[in-house]
């Protein structure tokens, strides 16, 4: 049965909204991406091939491709090997969509950070219960890079941007290695929103009064967390990281900086 026939059949069922043909085509292609039939870098078959396969018109097919483009699952590549190319989904896209939803509710950056202080410490707990030697090595490697950074010149913006990038990666490792995919995805979206806020704050020239003291204290906190994870102290890791994030939040949102609304970050 062609997709057009399937739509006609669905339209006979009550007043329930049925998907447009383009949405059904997008759903079929999306399923192939999710199941690994199509992977990042693959080029879609030609329009003629897809039109024949799905039994749809060119405008319908192009609308389906546009749907997947808005989801950052497909992009265009130029050149002799160009065409509609499969892409790896970007957590920043999800952050933007979630941000729009939160903005409709008047959500602030501080509100998002508060949610992180609930989910991320629990991820630290899970990591303490399920970590591998590689997890500990990777976390300590990041701390070593942060220590090296704090020993240098902290008065230039490049150093602070580097600090922001390294600490973001540290937080990401905690959530990504915890062993819960749902929490990892959720935390990734929240982290991206807060990271965007932090980078904008740095771009506006914000400076710490005593960066060396602050950053060294943060490194000691990171080291304590890794030690707790390494020894398998799950409650200790969760409690420590909750306290750490609460203190960090107070510093991050000085002078009502947390009152900034979500969508304002992406304008």
């Amino acid at each position: 049965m062609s997709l057009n026939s399937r739509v006609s059949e669905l339209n006979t069922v009550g007043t329930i909204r049925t998907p447009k043909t383009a949405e059904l085509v997008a759903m079929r292609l999306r399923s192939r991406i999710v199941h690994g039939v199509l992977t990042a870098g693959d080029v879609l078959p030609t329009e003629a091939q897809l039109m024949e396969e799905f039994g749809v018109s060119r405008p319908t097919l192009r609308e389906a491709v546009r749907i997947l483009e808005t989801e950052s699952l497909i992009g265009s590549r130029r050149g002799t090997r160009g065409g509609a190319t499969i892409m790896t989904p970007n957590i920043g896209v999800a952050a933007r969509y979630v941000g729009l939803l939160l903005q409709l509710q008047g959500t602030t950056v501080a509100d998002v950070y508060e949610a992180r202080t609930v989910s991320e410490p629990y991820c630290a707990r899970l990591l303490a219960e399920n970590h591998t030697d590689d997890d500990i090595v990777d976390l300590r490697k990041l701390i070593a890079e942060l220590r090296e950074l704090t020993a240098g010149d902290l008065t230039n913006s490049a150093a602070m941007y580097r600090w922001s990038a390294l600490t973001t990666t540290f937080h990401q490792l905690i959530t990504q290695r915890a062993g819960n995919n749902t929490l990892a995805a959720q935390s990734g979206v929240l982290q991206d929103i807060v990271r965007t806020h932090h980078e904008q704050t740095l771009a506006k020239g914000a400076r710490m009064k005593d960066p060396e003291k602050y950053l060294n204290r943060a490194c000691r906190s990171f080291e304590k967390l890794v030690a707790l994870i390494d020894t398998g102290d799950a409650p200790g890791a969760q409690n420590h990281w909750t306290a750490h994030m609460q203190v960090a939040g107070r510093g991050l949102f000085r002078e009502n900086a947390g009152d900034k609304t979500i969508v304002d970050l992406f304008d």
Side-chain angles (χ1 to χ4, degrees):
M1 178 184 294
S2 71
L3 285 175
N4 285 324
S5 298
R6 179 58 176 159
V7 170
S8 297
E9 178 184 296
L10 290 171
N11 280 331
T12 65
V13 184
T15 58
I16 298 175
R17 179 195 176 277
T18 57
K20 298 167 59 177
T21 304
E23 292 172 334
L24 291 173
V25 173
M27 181 178 65
R28 296 272 188 90
L29 293 173
R30 187 187 300 111
S31 178
R32 294 177 188 179
I33 296 171
V34 170
H35 288 92
V37 177
L38 294 170
T39 59
D42 288 348
V43 178
L44 283 180
T46 65
E47 284 189 339
Q49 291 172 316
L50 291 173
M51 287 163 55
E52 180 178 357
E53 176 184 353
F54 294 120
V56 297
S57 65
R58 180 171 280 104
T60 296
L61 178 63
R62 289 182 176 178
E63 183 180 351
V65 170
R66 280 195 294 271
I67 291 172
L68 297 177
E69 285 177 337
T70 63
E71 297 173 354
S72 293
L73 292 176
I74 288 180
S76 296
R77 186 170 65 185
R78 297 180 179 179
T80 56
R81 300 183 61 187
T85 307
I86 305 303
M87 299 172 57
T88 301
N90 188 322
I91 197 69
V93 176
R96 181 179 294 274
Y97 278 111
V98 172
L100 288 170
L101 176 62
L102 294 175
Q103 172 62 6
L104 292 174
Q105 303 172 45
T107 307
T108 63
V109 179
D111 188 278
V112 171
Y113 189 85
E114 183 179 19
R116 278 188 63 198
T117 64
V118 175
S119 62
E120 193 171 311
Y122 186 72
C123 287
R125 181 190 187 99
L126 293 178
L127 187 56
E129 295 173 344
N130 306 299
H131 67 276
T132 66
D133 290 342
D134 286 343
D135 295 330
I136 301 302
V137 169
D138 291 340
L139 287 169
R140 286 180 171 153
K141 181 179 178 181
L142 280 171
I143 293 173
E145 291 184 62
L146 288 167
R147 283 292 189 190
E148 183 179 353
L149 188 64
T150 58
D153 181 10
L154 297 176
T155 62
N156 66 84
S157 58
M160 298 312 298
Y161 274 110
R162 179 61 177 159
W163 170 270
S164 177
L166 288 171
T167 54
T168 294
T169 302
F170 188 88
H171 284 278
Q172 289 172 339
L173 278 179
I174 292 170
T175 56
Q176 291 171 356
R177 304 287 181 88
N180 186 293
N181 291 334
T182 303
L183 280 174
Q186 177 196 64
S187 298
V189 169
L190 300 182
Q191 286 169 0
D192 194 77
I193 291 172
V194 174
R195 176 193 58 77
T196 301
H197 169 268
H198 193 201
E199 288 182 352
Q200 288 191 8
T201 301
L202 290 175
K204 292 178 180 178
R207 292 290 182 273
M208 301 174 187
K209 291 183 178 179
D210 191 347
E212 184 177 0
K213 179 180 178 181
Y214 173 84
L215 300 186
N216 276 309
R217 184 167 64 241
C219 282
R220 289 194 297 272
S221 181
F222 293 164
E223 289 166 344
K224 181 176 180 179
L225 174 69
V226 175
L228 291 167
I229 292 173
D230 192 22
T231 59
D233 186 351
Q238 182 175 6
N239 292 336
H240 171 70
W241 207 234
T242 297
H244 170 90
M245 293 190 68
Q246 288 173 343
V247 171
R250 287 195 289 272
L252 187 62
F253 300 127
R254 292 190 303 269
E255 300 178 359
N256 300 318
D259 292 341
K260 192 177 187 69
T261 54
I262 303 302
V263 171
D264 291 339
L265 297 177
F266 303 101
D267 288 342

